[in-house]
Amino acid sequence: TMYSQSRWDYLASLFVKTHHELFSLPARPLLHIALSAGLSALKTPSCHSQYASSSSNASSSTTSVCPICSTELNDLARNVPYAHHTKSYVESDPIVLPNGRIYGRDRLLQMSAKVGLADGQVKDPTTQDIFDESKIRKVYIS
């Protein structure tokens, strides 16, 4: 039909598309593009984690000042890549747990002993999962 709502929606989107092409404007607002570049420089794997302490994580008992985790920029930062860090702060004896998290072996064993786990068990300090020591693997950095 000539006056249907879908035709008006199509006409509106066609107008916006033509306007942007005519004035060489990107489909996304320039502010979003600029913010995405800055947010990408700050984003780390702990951002958007269900275990991260942030204002957007209801299960967290602490708050964070991380702009990536803030409720205002959370949706915009969700799809940007992680930051490229040229310096690595890896401990001298890295191991990987079955859940893929990497920690220093000595510190992980010390922490597991402090919380009273039986010998041969380790506890992930982030997720609180408990694993057998035989399941952990040494990490070789190349």
Side-chain angles (χ1 to χ4, degrees), residues 2 6 15 21 25-26 63-64 73 92 123 128:
M2 191 162 158
S6 63
F15 176 81
E21 286 177 0
L25 296 173
T63 59
S64 171
L73 298 174
S92 61
K123 184 176 187 177
Q128 308 301 315

Side-chain angles (χ1 to χ4, degrees), residues 113-131:
K114 280 184 184 177
V115 296
L117 289 179
D119 286 342
Q121 289 188 325
V122 293
K123 184 176 187 177
D124 185 335
T126 305
T127 64
Q128 308 301 315
D129 294 334
I130 297 174
F131 303 102

